[in-house]
Amino acid sequence: MEFLSYLITGISLGSIYAIIALGYTMVYGIAKMLNFAHGDVIMVGGYVAFYATSFASSSLLGEDPTTAATALATVGSVLLAMVVCTVLGIVIEGLAYRPLRQAGSLAVLITAIGVSYFLQNAVQLLFGAAPKNFTPVVSGQLQLLGGRLRISYVALLTVAVCIVIMVGLTTFIGKSKMGKAMRACSEDRGAAQLMGINVNSTISMTFAIGSALAAVAGVLLCSYSPVLQPTTGSMPGIKAFTAAVFGGIGSIPGAFLGGLLLGIIESMAQAYISTQLSNAILFAVLIVVLLVKPSGLLGKYMPEKV
């Protein structure tokens, strides 16, 4: 029974990593750049949702809010976080990354690290460095098998949201006009531009979608581990990037699979081996997988043309 409980915890945690990894893999697959500031966009989404919920609780809901009013305030705070992070993602792409479109990968990497530190310090100046106690979007537990198995509603919500996002994103990329433009830019950016596709708008839309997903992931992450601070998104961002590489960066199903597997491995390592060594075990598994299959589990080997 304990194993099943740890497995469910791992799937829940892995679903958060998968949502974050989808943002990484979309940006890399289409723009061919690694946005290491993505983890800090998650943190910004958490802060926006936190203060929106606090404002609604203190000013709008009163001392004895109803369940419906609380749920409406929660949904509103999540939507506001998505809007703010979407705008933030577009601004970051336009100001920091678009001028480096033809630059080398090292310049883009250094810029991404700079944007990451800028966001962390800006939030620290605006809201302070003291940790905030984040209120989970849902509370309570589902008891099964006579109470021997308990599943938090946050875990169920996280898995459900991850599946919906995965299906919706796959449908969008495969069926919509913008999704086809994204796939064309991913294959050959120059040829796509010759065919009349606005590459800049397509890449901006990619950042917008990835940043909106980061806001959702930030709310779910803070609901799972309800401590919010300026460095909240750093380690989950690194782990989600690991998940994207693990599954095959550039592959949406690969990011989903990599996130789930990473969450399960972390949960099992913490339960049966060591809490302190769980992160080391994660990256050791990644090294082994990349030694065996350098393109990741679902990634495709693309020979470089000279």
Side-chain angles (χ1 to χ4, degrees):
M1 198 59 63
E2 287 185 353
F3 174 82
L4 190 57
S5 178
Y6 295 141
L7 178 63
I8 293 171
T9 300
I11 292 174
S12 172
L13 181 60
S15 297
I16 298 174
Y17 292 155
I19 296 173
I20 305 171
L22 287 172
Y24 274 115
T25 204
M26 282 187 65
V27 170
Y28 180 81
I30 295 167
K32 295 296 183 287
M33 64 174 61
L34 297 174
N35 180 23
F36 279 113
H38 191 65
D40 299 288
V41 177
I42 296 167
M43 173 267 299
V44 171
Y47 269 94
V48 173
F50 172 80
Y51 280 103
T53 304
S54 299
F55 174 77
S57 299
S58 61
S59 302
L60 302 179
L61 299 182
E63 296 181 357
D64 189 21
T66 62
T67 303
T70 303
L72 185 62
T74 301
V75 172
S77 66
V78 174
L79 292 177
L80 179 61
M82 291 178 67
V83 171
V84 171
C85 287
T86 298
V87 174
L88 179 61
I90 294 174
V91 170
I92 289 174
E93 191 277 328
L95 295 180
Y97 297 140
R98 187 175 298 181
L100 301 175
R101 195 67 51 84
Q102 305 301 324
S105 57
L106 182 60
V108 178
L109 177 62
I110 294 173
T111 302
I113 295 173
V115 172
S116 173
Y117 281 112
F118 172 80
L119 291 177
Q120 287 184 22
N121 285 276
V123 168
Q124 184 171 337
L125 286 173
L126 288 172
F127 306 118
K132 307 289 191 296
N133 293 320
F134 193 92
T135 302
V137 290
V138 292
S139 58
Q141 293 180 329
L142 178 66
Q143 298 189 14
L144 302 173
L145 303 176
R148 289 182 295 170
L149 178 62
R150 298 180 179 181
I151 307 173
S152 67
Y153 289 125
V154 170
L156 295 175
L157 178 64
T158 301
V159 175
V161 168
C162 181
I163 293 173
V164 170
I165 288 176
M166 174 65 188
V167 173
L169 197 58
T170 303
T171 304
F172 173 79
I173 296 294
K175 302 294 184 182
S176 70
K177 184 177 180 180
M178 179 56 70
K180 293 176 182 178
M182 289 178 177
R183 285 188 288 145
C185 291
S186 176
E187 289 291 333
D188 192 323
R189 196 183 303 172
Q193 194 166 10
L194 290 174
M195 294 299 293
I197 295 174
N198 190 325
V199 174
N200 286 332
S201 297
T202 303
I203 293 177
S204 293
M205 178 60 71
T206 304
F207 271 83
I209 294 173
S211 299
L213 295 181
V216 176
V219 174
L220 294 174
L221 176 65
C222 292
S223 297
Y224 178 86
S225 179
V227 177
L228 179 62
Q229 53 190 353
T231 57
T232 290
S234 298
M235 184 53 71
I238 293 173
K239 290 180 180 178
F241 173 70
T242 303
V245 175
F246 186 56
I249 193 163
S251 168
I252 291 177
F256 177 75
L257 177 62
L260 290 183
L261 290 178
L262 211 70
I264 293 171
I265 292 170
E266 180 176 351
S267 178
M268 295 301 176
Q270 290 178 348
Y272 294 109
I273 301 177
S274 171
T275 303
Q276 288 78 17
L277 293 177
S278 60
N279 289 337
I281 293 170
L282 284 181
F283 295 114
V285 170
L286 173 67
I287 292 171
V288 172
V289 170
L290 292 182
L291 287 174
V292 176
K293 199 173 189 299
S295 57
L297 295 176
L298 299 183
K300 295 180 181 179
Y301 172 70
M302 299 293 291
E304 185 176 351
K305 298 179 181 179
V306 180

